[in-house]
Amino acid sequence: MTHIPPPAEELRLLDTELRRLDARRAQLLARRAWLITALQQARPLAAAAPQPVAPVAPRREATAPGVQNVLLLLGGVLLTVAAMVFTLVSWGHLGIVGRSAVLGAVTLAVLAAPVALLRRSLRSTAEAVAGLGLALTVLDAYALHEAAFRGSDGSTYLAVCTTVLALLWTAYGTALGVLRLPRPAALVVAQFPVPLWVAAGGGLWPVAAGVLLTAGFDVVVGLRGSARPVRLTAVVCGIGSGAWGVLAAGVLALEASGPAGAGRAAVLFVLAAAIAVAAAWFSPRSDAAQVVAAAGGLLVVAGAGGVLRVTVSDAWLMPALLVCGIALLAVVRVPEAVRGGLGVASAVVQGLALLSALPAVAATVLGPLGRIGDVWSGTPVDARDAATLGGVWPSGAETAPLVLALVAAVLVVRGGVWRQWALPPAWAAVVVLPAALHLPYAVGLSVQGLAVAGLLAAATATAPVALWLAVVTSVAVAFVSLATEAATLTVLAVLTALFAAAARQGRHAPVTAAVSLGYATALAGAAGAAAGWRPEHVALLVLVVPVTAALLAPRIIDPATVLAVEITGAVAGAVAIGLAVFDAPLLALVLALCGVIAAGTAIRPDRRGAGYAAAVLFVPATWVRLAAWQVDLVEAYTLPVTVPALAVGFLRRHRDPAVSSWAAYGGGLAATLLPSLAAVRHDPEWLRPLLLGTAALLVTLLGARHRLQAPLMLGGAVLVLVALHELAPYLVQMADALPRWVPPALAGLLLLGVGATYEQRLRDVRRVREVLGRMG
């Protein structure tokens, strides 16, 4: 059993163990302090001692294989140049036997040298020597022409030489399969035989066909070749040959003046497209296959465009091309990459078609804006005349609605994410249709009005594009309606109702409500103008819109819609003020009515700030009214500001006693006291100084009674200045009556008195400052 000592014995044991631990801890701390001191003393010595520097190996800027390849390349180039110089310069010093012996021996020796070099594993050297041998065969062909075939046809001789060289180099590279240079070089030379053979017949078409056939051969080699250098060379050559063939086909298509010439160019385009689609079909890379297939689809459309250019009119060329582009989407049972590439090509064609229709859309939407300077000039001839104001319609834009409708239909049929992009082209087709078909003016207005209604019905929270298209269309139709008075009133009324209905149904209410009130403002102005009213009288009719906005705002729940309605109402009020600015009595009335609207808005708890706007409107309304009455009394303009300002200041201090009297009453008092004080200087009568002095005295007494700094200081200062102004004539007379020495003597006595009681005056000044500081 475990022995448990008594508590006293256990406590003694614990104390003994703790003392032992404390002693051990003190010993360890002392040792730690000694070690730290020793390290600090040894650190400067270690820093001062020279440290051994490890040798840095020189950085090699080129690898051994790289140096070897450069040297071999330079050697091969120099030997090739020497052979060329020998062939071109020193050739004439030898006879026919010597020439043949030298060239044949050198060429065979050089071509045979890589065999021995490869046996010794000198592959790079063998590559360089083989390149030199290939260059010598070209020089042999040149020398043979100069010696024996100088009178032969150049194209035929080149065709024979390139054919022979391509075959020889291919056989040589196949025999020495380790070498990478001969077979790619043979493929490069193989680009020339077919075009050169067909060039003997004359004309660009055979040459282009030969180049495209060569590009097809390159595609086969690039897809089926075993060596990577051969495949890469085939791809590069195929792209170059194909581009040259397509360029030649484009030149032939542009030069064609009839279906026959265009058909021949179309054959080249179709051949190039077939090669591209075949390359995409068998390509192992899907991204490259999609790009090549897209190029093939565009080549098909280009070939069809060349034929259509000489068979259909300019107006129907783009719709026909669009149909060809859409037909690419119908291709099925092809690899997914090819189908994707054809879809990209179709999208490119559709995009170009949309660009071709943009001038017609711009003329229809932006053209009516010029109607602002030609209001109510008469009914246009048709919808096109209304849109362009009798100007020039874009060339070939008669079929723009068809192009836009086809693109929209394709987007709808494709479904998915494409369907949401169908609305803009469909809208553009509807908008352009009346002008493109020369429909009557009334029909054009009706079509665009129905377009606005349909777009507002289609506008949802997830499709805001319809809303903005509706706004743009409404602006265009509103400007188009300015041609006649009846059309203007009808269209503005309909637009106001349409956007109001959309706002009532909650369809983007902030925008639709604001637009509805905007058109209501325009309708009020148009109605007043139709009634023959002057602009200042029309302003009273326009004020109906701010009143309506102020009445509707409290009944709307959405804060954003409330703000939009109130801002639009404020803008309508500003328009009314602008219309009445040239008639002072009506301007005063309009300002007062706007102030009443703002004051009514300020009744709402969340719109207390509108009260300031009401005050700002009431003051100029009063001033304009007084100016219309030809009132030149300054106080008549200042008291309407002072009285409400003092009332507001009183209410503010009543709610918050900590507010300074300067903030509460300073502005209101200064608005009347200071202008009246300035008017006293030019007033010869006694009534204004008396009334101003009395008012200043009352203000001073009220400030002293309630211990308010602003009334006390302003009232006292004005009172003193008024008194000095009134006593000034008498002081001048008294100064003239006194001897000349009296003013200096009085000034001296004053300075002596101030100096004698300087300390007492300082205490009095401090006391006055403390009293003013304690005031509100």
Side-chain angles (χ1 to χ4, degrees), residues 354 407-408 411-412 416-426 465:
L354 290 177
V407 174
L411 294 174
V412 171
V417 296
W418 298 102
R419 182 169 297 177
Q420 63 183 352
W421 297 104
L423 183 60
V465 177

Side-chain angles (χ1 to χ4, degrees), residues 631-659:
V631 175
D632 56 358
L633 189 64
V634 176
E635 289 74 14
Y637 295 90
T638 57
L639 286 176
V641 179
T642 295
V643 174
L646 293 178
V648 172
F650 176 77
L651 293 176
R652 185 177 179 185
R653 276 187 60 87
H654 181 71
R655 294 177 181 176
D656 186 8
V659 175

Side-chain angles (χ1 to χ4, degrees), residues 152-205:
S152 63
D153 180 64
S155 299
T156 304
Y157 184 77
L158 284 176
V160 173
C161 288
T162 53
T163 303
V164 174
L165 288 177
L167 294 174
L168 289 177
W169 291 2
T170 303
Y172 183 71
T174 305
L176 301 177
V178 181
L179 299 181
R180 294 176 294 180
L181 179 61
R183 282 177 291 179
L187 186 59
V188 173
V189 175
Q191 306 302 306
F192 302 100
V194 176
L196 289 174
W197 281 115
V198 298
L204 181 60
W205 192 92

Side-chain angles (χ1 to χ4, degrees), residues 4-14:
I4 300 176
E9 180 67 17
E10 184 178 3
L11 179 62
R12 187 184 65 79
L13 293 175
L14 291 176

Side-chain angles (χ1 to χ4, degrees), residues 477-718:
V477 71
F479 276 95
V480 170
S481 67
L482 295 178
T484 62
E485 178 181 321
T488 302
L489 297 176
T490 303
V491 168
L492 291 178
V494 171
L495 292 177
T496 302
L498 286 176
F499 281 94
R504 185 176 180 83
Q505 295 174 3
R507 297 182 182 274
H508 300 278
V511 177
T512 52
V515 174
S516 177
L517 290 175
Y519 283 127
T521 304
L523 177 61
W533 293 2
R534 295 176 57 82
E536 53 270 17
H537 298 115
V538 176
L540 298 175
L541 187 59
V542 173
L543 284 178
V544 175
V545 177
V547 173
T548 304
L551 294 176
L552 289 177
R555 294 171 172 79
I556 301 174
I557 300 176
D558 182 26
T561 306
V562 173
L563 183 61
V565 168
E566 291 177 343
I567 291 176
T568 309
V571 172
V575 171
I577 294 173
L579 290 173
V581 73
F582 295 106
D583 191 317
L586 279 176
L587 177 60
L589 177 60
V590 171
L591 288 170
L593 292 176
C594 290
V596 171
I597 297 171
T601 303
I603 297 176
R604 295 161 49 195
D606 58 337
R607 290 294 186 267
R608 298 299 188 193
Y612 297 102
V616 171
L617 289 169
F618 281 133
V619 169
T622 306
W623 288 350
V624 172
R625 183 70 266 182
L626 293 172
W629 286 337
Q630 298 182 353
V631 175
D632 56 358
L633 189 64
V634 176
E635 289 74 14
Y637 295 90
T638 57
L639 286 176
V641 179
T642 295
V643 174
L646 293 178
V648 172
F650 176 77
L651 293 176
R652 185 177 179 185
R653 276 187 60 87
H654 181 71
R655 294 177 181 176
D656 186 8
V659 175
S660 170
S661 62
W662 288 102
Y665 305 120
L669 293 173
T672 294
L673 293 177
L674 297 182
S676 298
L677 181 62
V680 165
R681 296 182 54 191
H682 306 286
D683 192 351
E685 302 295 332
W686 57 272
L687 183 59
R688 174 176 277 138
L690 177 61
L691 295 177
L692 181 60
T694 304
L697 178 60
L698 292 176
V699 170
T700 304
L701 293 177
L702 288 174
R705 171 68 179 80
H706 298 283
R707 296 183 179 180
L708 298 177
Q709 190 177 111
L712 180 63
M713 298 296 293
L714 286 174
V718 172

Side-chain angles (χ1 to χ4, degrees), residues 80-148:
T80 303
V81 171
M84 292 176 61
V85 171
F86 170 77
T87 304
L88 298 175
V89 178
S90 302
W91 182 256
H93 300 288
L94 299 177
I96 185 63
V97 177
R99 301 170 188 172
S100 301
V102 170
L103 280 178
V106 171
T107 303
L108 291 175
V110 172
L111 290 176
V115 178
L117 293 173
L118 288 175
R119 290 176 182 176
R120 297 187 178 185
S121 300
L122 300 176
R123 180 176 174 180
S124 298
T125 306
E127 290 279 1
V129 174
L132 176 61
L134 299 180
L136 288 176
T137 57
V138 176
L139 293 177
D140 288 338
Y142 169 76
L144 185 61
H145 177 270
E146 292 296 321

Side-chain angles (χ1 to χ4, degrees), residues 313-319 353-364 384 387-388 391-405 428-438:
S313 62
D314 294 340
W316 289 96
L317 177 59
M318 186 52 68
L354 290 177
L355 289 177
S356 69
L358 278 183
V361 178
T364 306
R384 181 180 297 186
T388 61
V392 179
W393 181 253
S395 177
E398 291 79 6
T399 57
L402 177 59
V403 170
L404 295 167
V430 174
V431 171
V432 175
L433 183 63
L437 299 183
H438 290 280

